[in-house]
Amino acid sequence: EFKASAPLLTEVMRAVDGIDVLYLAMLYHDIGKGLGGDHSNKGAVMARATAGRLGLNADETAELELLVRHHLTMHHLATRRDIHDPRLVAEFARTVGTLATLQKLFVLTFADLGATNPKLWNSWQDMLLSELYAQTAAVFERGEQGEQAQRERANRIRARVAAAIGGRPDGTRERFLADLPDRYFLTTPEDDIPRHFELVRRLGEEGLVTSVAHFPEREFSEFTVVTRDQPGLFARLTGVLRAHGMNIAAGGSGMALDVFRVTHLEGAAIATDAERWERIQSAVGKVLSGELDVEQMVARAARPSVLGEKVVPRQPTTVEIDNQASEDYTVIDVFTIDRVGVLFAIANALYHLGLSIHLAKITTSVD
């Protein structure tokens, strides 16, 4: 049923060994709910207590306990953390222990999301989780560990991209390959990099270069901006997109080459409207030159509709600061009700606090 929409999941499901443990984990994963907080760990204790009665051996018991204890971990890492941080991937590999357990956890994560709400599993979630699965599987299959392996992989990609671009007498290819960080080459689809090179090459003549590409089969449009870096660039760009009614599913920044993915889930007609994108591209230029004030633009766009605001459940906003998840960056988690313009509000607040955003991850879940 899912081999066209989720080919990797289908392939992994067919490869799973010990299907009974996977099904038991699906049965038990939320059994700790209703006991007051930390249901994953409480459920894991309950699963272990009944495993012997069910006839599981020691290895099967340990795997069942691990799957129940960590049934939320993979989704948490994929949607909220930097999955291209080699330290994080290596730590996740140590947590799951084996490729066989990783396979089960990948399928369990899909089943849990789909059972909670079928709309939760979309092409964006599939992309994030598949990437984390592939990177972690590589740790088991090839023994890739640490920053050295990531650097070598980035250099291999650079070499392939250099061949695809071809030589340039002015040295622009070499500067492009040297200036962009390893993370860019590890996170950007290889086929997109030559296109980005052409945008960067044009920057010297134009000062601002933008492009729009639509991917209806993956339910998003991609807006790429190449410009001189400046404080608050990410906030300004999210503000322009918000003011024109675009719902951002993800945003990534590499130097001054920013790529935004605009979801089609709330209206493909809006996200693929050519005239609207022309207005956005014009507005980006005016905002970055100082001709337009992005905060005023967002405020005008946020004026209430005559139909009134949609009623949403009240939930306090919480902000968590984590200095342990990454060696180089502070991780700020913001949990709040999803609403129009929330990403701009967060990014603009960080800009006014004098903070630089290295990576933004955006996800909307039931919680």
Side-chain angles (χ1 to χ4, degrees), residues 218-293:
R218 296 161 74 187
E219 298 179 306
F220 67 78
S221 295
E222 197 166 83
F223 180 49
T224 304
V225 180
V226 182
T227 187
R228 309 293 177 205
D229 203 6
Q230 57 181 265
L233 178 62
F234 181 76
R236 288 186 174 97
L237 295 176
T238 59
V240 172
L241 290 169
R242 181 270 169 266
H244 289 80
M246 295 299 183
N247 187 14
I248 301 169
S253 174
M255 298 181 66
L257 193 160
D258 290 358
V259 180
F260 293 87
R261 284 180 173 162
V262 176
T263 180
H264 290 184
L265 297 180
E266 294 183 2
I270 293 175
T272 57
D273 181 359
E275 290 185 4
R276 187 181 295 251
W277 279 111
E278 287 178 10
R279 294 196 298 272
I280 288 172
Q281 289 166 307
S282 173
V284 165
K286 292 177 180 178
V287 164
L288 297 185
S289 69
E291 188 178 339
L292 280 178
D293 184 294

Side-chain angles (χ1 to χ4, degrees), residues 289-350:
S289 69
E291 188 178 339
L292 280 178
D293 184 294
V294 71
E295 293 182 8
Q296 293 178 6
M297 179 186 295
V298 171
R300 286 195 299 271
R303 287 173 182 161
S305 164
V306 293
L307 299 177
E309 291 294 318
K310 183 173 68 174
V311 176
V312 295
R314 289 187 172 274
Q315 176 178 320
T317 293
T318 61
V319 181
E320 298 176 0
I321 309 295
D322 185 347
N323 276 308
Q324 305 301 317
S326 171
E327 289 184 340
D328 302 312
Y329 302 96
T330 291
V331 177
I332 303 175
D333 286 308
V334 181
F335 300 90
T336 189
I337 289 291
D338 188 30
R339 56 193 179 275
V340 175
V342 68
L343 178 59
F344 170 72
I346 295 168
N348 201 40
L350 294 175

Side-chain angles (χ1 to χ4, degrees), residues 91-103:
E91 182 62 35
F92 179 53
R94 281 192 289 271
T95 297
V96 297
T98 67
L99 177 61
T101 304
L102 174 67
Q103 291 172 331

